[in-house]
Amino acid sequence: MENKILTIIIEDEQPARELLKAYLQSHKEVELVAECENGFDGVKAIAEYRPDLIFLDIQMPKLNGFEMLELLDEYPEIIFTTAYDEFALQAFELNAVDYLMKPFSKTRFDQALEKVFSRLKNKSQQNPVVEKLKEQVRETAGPQERFFVKTGNHIDVIATDEIIHVEAQDDYVEFHTVKGRFLKKETMAQLEKQLPPDRFLRVHRSHIIRLDQMEKLEKYGKESYMVVLKNGDRVQVSKSRIKKLKEKLGI
Amino acid sequence: MLLNPLSKNKNYLLGYLSIWAVIIAVHTLILNFFYGINGSISLADSLVFNFSFMVAGYSLWYVIRFNLREKPSFIDMIFNHLLTAVVIIGLWLLLGYFSMKSLYGNHTDYLLFLKNSLAWRAVMGVFYYLLFIMFYYLILYYDDLQEKLKIESKLQNLVTQAELETLKSQINPHFLFNSLNSISSLTITNPGKAQEMVIKLSDFLRYSLSHDKNEKTPLQKEFENLKRYLEIEKVRFGKRLNFVYHIPENCYRYVIPNMILQPLIENSIKHGVYNSADEVQVEITCKEEKYDLVIEISNDYDPETIKPKGEGIGLRNIRKRLQLIYGRTDLLETKADKMVFTARLQLPKEQEDGK
């Protein structure tokens, strides 16, 4: 017997987990290594067991399925499960990912599993579909109220209201918050889309500030400006963006 | 409505003026033909007396408005109108008499006629006055009726809307499909429980579809349905959802607007259980006060989750509906302290036979 396919179920409702387990009974080649009730446990379990396949519910407390994906460094094969979520279904359809709509039949379950098996056999590399899916979910989800930052095995939740300003650091963005600083692998352009535009403004190629955290706008030199924030941080404003900032402030 | 109905649109005003024009013409002709008073004096008499009543009649509207500013008793109203009638008709006659006298005091024939005609003119005045009063009251009554009909239809609309909302939430796809998925799971693991849940879900849906839309229902029925809903959710969430209720027997007989509690409980589940991985307690309490029935629905919530700002559509709709049914805006209060969200409903006590 070759290696078994390692699987994790990530689902907050117990009956739904039971059903998946019952359906898995007939698939001896699959080994269930963990069951998780929420996304945080899911991230940890995936790091620990490095499964080949996960069953992932979209609507979960604290950290939903899509948010959980944001925190993964590499992706196992994923079969999404959801009862009803127009937005998720649209994203699934567009990106051709495997999903099961609750309630689903054993037949439907087996088909989804078959597809995964054949992909695993051909050992296709890093699942490119998930990247696309993530991007599309971000595009359509609009501004976020919270961000998740993973540092090693620890996950921090940052509420949008706690952010003072954000600074670009190579491939990362650094959140300066009331709780301290956090690094997340993300581009400034992407982040700009995820922050509510009425409260945040990109004032420089590598700076985004929260408008109500501004203490004052200082002019220094002929055409250059500095924003002084309430916590004392100073942020440079680029020439091209000064007009926009003044507009926002109504000056 | 504060505006004089006559000035509401141009046509009314034109109509009013033309009626008076006819009266003035007839009045002039009668004096001229039957009493042999010369043309220009007839016309002047007609103009003075009728034009002044035209203005007085127009301003009578404001007298009536003033009369109605607080609900007077019937006796008061009659008395007020008598007083007004005497004052207005008296002034009108005096004004007419003295202006005509000053204009044509040297025409003895006419002066004699003027003096003799005062009694008839007074009768005319009373007649005019009554006509005006009737006309204005009719308009007020009609407007009142329209207003009532408007409120009625608004209420109907809201009830329909509430009904649609409830249906939508009953057939809230999340709830429905997740419940069905739980049942599907139970058919394998625990068929007995699966059957129980199918029955509950059916009863719950049937209740939501069948209740009489306009009416209030006894608390008992509403509560039984809530319990069904919570038991179904309990199967899904297990120990994450606990509910307790303190409803004294004596509260059960009072009627409340149907399906008014359902959205509140759904809110509790949504913000409490859906967003929290820990155990959440949903609590329903009911108290009977002197005039009101007070129902409180509370749930723990995880203060770490980001709360939606402001009131949702659901709460706003409940508020609107209560306002239409009871005519008050202060019957629903919500408060969120650190860990517990509470919605408090205060409904005037009412029993099934409308007491």
Side-chain angles (χ1 to χ4, degrees), chain A residues 168-203:
Chain A
Q169 306 273 19
D170 302 330
D171 291 347
Y172 289 84
V173 293
E174 183 173 32
F175 291 99
H176 293 250
T177 74
V178 290
K179 295 192 294 197
R181 300 176 177 194
F182 301 91
L183 279 173
K184 185 180 169 83
K185 203 169 163 60
E186 185 66 275
T187 66
M188 280 305 257
Q190 280 287 1
L191 188 68
E192 203 180 356
K193 281 182 202 153
Q194 294 169 40
L195 286 165
D198 54 329
R199 283 180 287 159
F200 288 86
L201 186 69
R202 191 164 177 186
V203 294

Side-chain angles (χ1 to χ4, degrees), chain B residues 26-283:
Chain B
V26 170
H27 186 137
T28 310
L29 290 174
I30 285 175
L31 290 198
N32 194 298
F33 278 113
F34 293 89
Y35 294 92
I37 291 163
N38 93 30
S40 63
I41 299 183
S42 297
L43 183 62
D45 178 295
S46 171
L47 278 173
V48 166
F49 278 95
N50 290 315
F51 187 79
S52 55
F53 213 104
M54 181 177 102
V55 175
Y58 186 85
S59 45
L60 259 180
W61 169 253
Y62 301 99
V63 175
I64 289 180
R65 292 281 330 164
F66 182 76
N67 233 339
L68 286 178
R69 75 198 178 288
E70 41 201 64
K71 291 255 177 282
S73 66
F74 188 69
I75 305 281
D76 276 351
M77 224 153 80
I78 297 287
F79 177 76
N80 278 341
H81 275 304
L82 273 176
L83 195 73
T84 319
V86 167
V87 170
I88 284 196
I89 293 164
L91 282 173
W92 171 64
L93 289 175
L94 283 172
L95 182 92
Y97 178 79
F98 284 110
S99 32
M100 285 313 285
K101 196 178 159 180
S102 66
L103 284 172
Y104 301 102
N106 46 4
H107 291 72
T108 37
D109 289 359
Y110 172 71
L111 216 54
L112 190 66
F113 164 78
L114 186 63
K115 274 181 188 155
N116 291 339
S117 69
L118 279 180
W120 279 112
R121 289 186 201 263
V123 173
M124 258 321 258
V126 172
F127 176 71
Y128 280 159
Y129 185 91
L130 284 176
L131 265 180
F132 269 111
I133 295 289
M134 262 167 53
F135 169 74
Y136 283 140
Y137 275 112
L138 211 71
I139 289 211
L140 278 172
Y141 173 77
Y142 175 76
D143 272 357
D144 229 29
L145 200 71
Q146 289 294 326
E147 193 64 26
K148 279 207 179 76
L149 286 174
K150 236 196 319 218
I151 287 186
E152 194 68 31
S153 75
K154 238 189 184 161
L155 187 59
Q156 204 51 52
N157 273 344
L158 257 150
V159 169
T160 319
Q161 223 177 40
E163 177 197 325
L164 278 175
E165 285 299 318
T166 2
L167 280 185
K168 253 202 285 199
S169 61
Q170 286 347 274
I171 304 173
N172 168 343
H174 277 282
F175 166 74
L176 192 61
F177 293 127
N178 276 312
S179 303
L180 288 170
N181 195 52
S182 298
I183 293 171
S184 157
S185 169
L186 288 170
T187 50
I188 300 174
T189 56
N190 186 345
K193 206 167 174 188
Q195 197 212 10
E196 202 183 305
M197 195 158 161
V198 169
I199 308 285
K200 271 187 192 137
L201 186 60
S202 309
D203 286 347
F204 174 75
L205 291 174
R206 188 175 300 119
Y207 182 88
S208 317
L209 291 166
S210 71
H211 64 258
D212 187 349
K213 307 309 177 223
N214 280 328
E215 286 311 319
K216 297 170 183 162
T217 357
L219 177 65
Q220 181 158 12
K221 273 191 170 169
E222 280 291 299
F223 178 65
E224 277 165 9
N225 200 50
L226 280 190
K227 233 167 54 183
R228 276 193 286 264
Y229 173 76
L230 285 164
E231 281 161 3
I232 295 165
E233 292 289 56
K234 174 88 184 159
V235 172
R236 284 175 59 194
F237 296 113
K239 62 180 193 308
R240 277 169 56 199
L241 165 62
N242 302 296
F243 54 95
V244 282
Y245 39 91
H246 316 282
I247 304 181
E249 275 301 310
N250 56 358
C251 290
Y252 279 135
R253 58 198 163 144
Y254 295 112
V255 290
I256 59 173
N258 54 37
M259 283 302 191
I260 202 106
L261 300 178
Q262 183 68 29
L264 290 172
I265 280 283
E266 280 179 21
N267 254 352
S268 281
I269 300 256
K270 200 162 104 195
H271 296 298
V273 185
Y274 283 13
N275 286 330
S276 166
D278 308 326
E279 293 187 17
V280 166
Q281 177 149 311
V282 174
E283 207 169 321

Side-chain angles (χ1 to χ4, degrees), chain A residues 12-16 18-19 22-23 37-38 59-62 83-85 102-104 145-146 159 161 199, chain B residues 173-174 177-178 180-182 184-185 188-189 235-237 239-240 273-278 302 305-306 309:
Chain A
D12 65 319
E13 295 177 32
Q14 198 232 340
E18 294 298 328
L19 183 72
Y23 282 174
E37 295 183 24
N38 63 60
Q59 290 96 15
M60 290 189 293
K62 289 203 160 157
Y84 177 86
D85 182 335
K102 296 173 186 173
F104 44 87
E145 283 300 335
R146 57 187 183 182
D161 287 339
R199 283 180 287 159
Chain B
H174 277 282
F177 293 127
N178 276 312
L180 288 170
N181 195 52
S182 298
S184 157
S185 169
I188 300 174
T189 56
V235 172
R236 284 175 59 194
F237 296 113
K239 62 180 193 308
R240 277 169 56 199
V273 185
Y274 283 13
N275 286 330
S276 166
D278 308 326
D302 185 344
T305 52
I306 313 292
K309 291 180 175 58

Side-chain angles (χ1 to χ4, degrees), chain A residues 206-221:
Chain A
S206 45
H207 290 290
I208 295 176
I209 61 162
R210 191 168 115 211
L211 291 163
D212 61 4
Q213 289 296 305
M214 261 186 74
E215 182 74 52
K216 56 182 182 232
L217 187 61
E218 275 184 0
K219 195 168 174 163
Y220 79 104

